[in-house]
């Protein structure tokens, strides 16, 4: 048997080896991270404190914001610290936790987005039965199942990935621990466990995608029957953002987790990784909230209660 050097830690290359560019990237990602954090925490605050936002749609939106906060908080702070300190190392345990949390929150977000599509389906296609079908117990159950399945999938996926030894190069050409890079440096001659996990992940994603497509077929067919253009526009404005968010998230997640390993990831691969980790937490609040009159009024009420009536004129 040939001598091999087992890997005891990894090096995350990030985007550049030039120290000045590393600092620039670190500051840029710090600003993006703070924007994502504040916008999602604002949604969580509004949907928790405002009595008029205690509806299934905003309950799921609050859970989505929690997942976005957790998802962006796993790789980005580590990358910021690495960029500002010029230390790109990460331990095997740290890499395992990073992969565990990212896969768990990502899978949970996919299932939650599927639950949100069902909520929109019931609201538009069965409005008279909406309060009965989407009662508090059902909403809590759907959200809990999304979190639980996400955690279960992340645990199985991470256990399969780190059940094999790593040898050779310890360099991961990404700014976080991604599965294709870990598979590339694996010493194992058989990757059946991790490929089984990839297969399960692909099946789950396809199942969620099919459920969402079926929901939106019924939704769009119902919306087109609405006699007024205003009614159609209102219905489309609540559904199209969700469809856009899910499509972008599922495509970028595929390239991060299900793409076959390659010797050197391209610029497109790194760009998709950035879109996957940063864009949903940043743009979900914009897509779901800034165009939402209920959220705007809730923000005004919060400012009034906090600072007085003068806040109404800000």
């Amino acid at each position: 048997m040939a001598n091999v050097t087992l890997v005891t830690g990894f090096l995350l290359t990030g985007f550049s080896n030039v120290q000045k560019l590393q600092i620039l990237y670190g500051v840029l990602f710090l600003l993006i991270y703070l924007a994502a954090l504040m916008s999602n925490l604002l949604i969580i605050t509004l949907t928790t404190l405002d009595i008029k936002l205690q509806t299934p749609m905003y309950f799921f939106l609050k859970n989505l914001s929690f997942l976005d906060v957790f998802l962006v908080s796993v790789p980005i702070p580590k990358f910021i610290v690495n960029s500002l300190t010029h230390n790109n190392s990460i331990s095997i345990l740290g890499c395992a936790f990073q992969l565990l949390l990212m896969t768990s929150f990502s899978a949970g977000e996919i299932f939650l987005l599927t639950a949100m599509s069902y909520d929109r389906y019931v609201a538009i296609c069965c409005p008279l039965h909406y309060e009965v079908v989407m009662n508090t117990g059902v909403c809590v159950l759907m959200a809990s199942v999304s979190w639980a399945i996400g955690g279960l999938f992340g645990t199985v996926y991470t256990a399969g990935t780190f059940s094999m030894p790593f040898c050779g190069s310890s360099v991961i050409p990404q700014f976080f621990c991604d599965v294709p890079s870990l598979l590339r440096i694996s010493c194992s001659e058989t990757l059946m466990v991790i490929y089984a996990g990839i297969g399960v992940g692909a099946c789950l994603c396809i199942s969620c995608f099919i459920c969402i497509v079926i929901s939106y077929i019924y939704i769009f067919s119902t919306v087109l029957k609405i006699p007024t253009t205003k009614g159609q526009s209102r219905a489309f404005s609540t559904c199209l953002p969700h469809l856009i968010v899910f499509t972008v998230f599922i495509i970028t997640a595929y390239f991060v987790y299900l793409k076959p390993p390659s010797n050197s990831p391209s610029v497109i691969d790194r760009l998709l990784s950035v879109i996957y980790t940063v864009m949903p937490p940043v743009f979900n609040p914009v897509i779901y909230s800034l165009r939402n009159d209920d959220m705007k009024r809730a923000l005004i009420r919060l400012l009034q209660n906090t600072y007085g009536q003068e806040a109404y004129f800000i």
Side-chain angles (χ1 to χ4, degrees):
M1 180 177 178
N3 291 328
V4 294
T5 303
L6 295 181
V7 174
T8 57
F10 301 105
L11 291 176
L12 304 173
T13 60
F15 300 102
S16 175
N17 293 324
V18 181
Q19 289 192 357
K20 290 184 178 180
L21 289 178
Q22 288 179 354
I23 294 175
L24 178 63
Y25 288 132
V27 173
L28 177 61
F29 272 75
L30 176 60
L31 295 175
I32 295 174
Y33 175 68
L34 291 176
L37 206 61
M38 289 187 293
S39 57
N40 281 284
L41 289 178
L42 178 61
I43 290 179
I44 293 171
T45 302
L46 292 177
T47 53
T48 301
L49 299 180
D50 197 288
I51 191 65
K52 294 186 178 180
L53 298 183
Q54 305 303 311
T55 63
M57 182 177 74
Y58 292 110
F59 171 76
F60 289 123
L61 181 58
K62 178 167 65 175
N63 277 268
L64 182 66
S65 293
F66 270 117
L67 284 169
D68 281 338
V69 168
F70 294 148
L71 179 60
V72 77
S73 296
V74 175
I76 301 304
K78 175 65 176 175
F79 172 72
I80 293 172
V81 172
N82 286 355
S83 299
L84 297 180
T85 60
H86 312 298
N87 179 13
N88 296 330
S89 63
I90 184 172
S91 65
I92 287 185
L93 184 61
C95 187
F97 271 112
Q98 198 175 75
L99 182 61
L100 169 64
L101 295 176
M102 288 190 68
T103 51
S104 297
F105 297 141
S106 299
E109 187 154 332
I110 290 174
F111 281 101
L112 189 66
L113 289 171
T114 306
M116 292 174 71
S117 72
Y118 178 73
D119 171 68
R120 292 299 83 205
Y121 160 75
V122 177
I124 293 176
C125 299
C126 311
L128 298 179
H129 304 286
Y130 181 68
E131 292 185 0
V132 176
V133 175
M134 299 302 296
N135 58 64
T136 303
V138 171
C139 293
V140 172
L141 178 62
M142 293 175 72
S144 301
V145 169
S146 298
W147 284 83
I149 294 181
L152 178 62
F153 176 73
T155 301
V156 173
Y157 200 72
T158 305
T161 303
F162 283 87
S163 64
M164 51 194 180
F166 301 99
C167 59
S169 175
S170 62
V171 175
I172 295 179
Q174 281 284 7
F175 65 96
F176 63 94
C177 291
D178 67 322
V179 173
S181 298
L182 293 173
L183 293 180
R184 183 175 53 82
I185 60 178
S186 170
C187 301
S188 178
E189 296 179 357
T190 173
L191 301 174
M192 289 302 297
V193 175
I194 188 61
Y195 283 141
I198 291 176
V200 171
C203 291
L204 291 175
C205 289
I206 292 172
S207 299
C208 291
F209 180 75
I210 291 174
C211 290
I212 289 180
V213 168
I214 292 174
S215 297
Y216 275 97
I217 289 175
Y218 281 104
I219 288 173
F220 290 149
S221 63
T222 302
V223 168
L224 293 175
K225 295 177 184 177
I226 298 177
T228 62
T229 305
K230 184 178 180 180
Q232 291 181 351
S233 299
R234 180 177 177 81
F236 277 123
S237 67
T238 61
C239 296
L240 287 180
H242 173 266
L243 192 58
I244 293 171
V245 167
F246 180 82
T247 302
V248 173
F249 188 79
I250 203 74
I251 290 175
T252 53
Y254 163 79
F255 281 96
V256 173
Y257 292 106
L258 304 179
K259 183 178 178 292
S262 59
N263 291 328
S264 58
S266 63
V267 176
I268 299 299
D269 291 333
R270 297 188 183 189
L271 178 61
L272 289 172
S273 297
V274 173
I275 294 174
Y276 160 75
T277 53
V278 176
M279 291 301 103
V282 171
F283 284 104
N284 280 353
V286 177
I287 292 174
Y288 283 112
S289 303
L290 293 186
R291 297 174 64 251
N292 189 307
D293 291 335
D294 292 335
M295 294 293 289
K296 292 178 182 178
R297 285 192 286 267
L299 178 59
I300 291 175
R301 286 193 292 269
L302 177 63
L303 293 175
Q304 287 177 337
N305 293 333
T306 305
Y307 299 105
Q309 294 295 325
E310 296 82 0
Y312 180 81
F313 300 101
I314 293 179

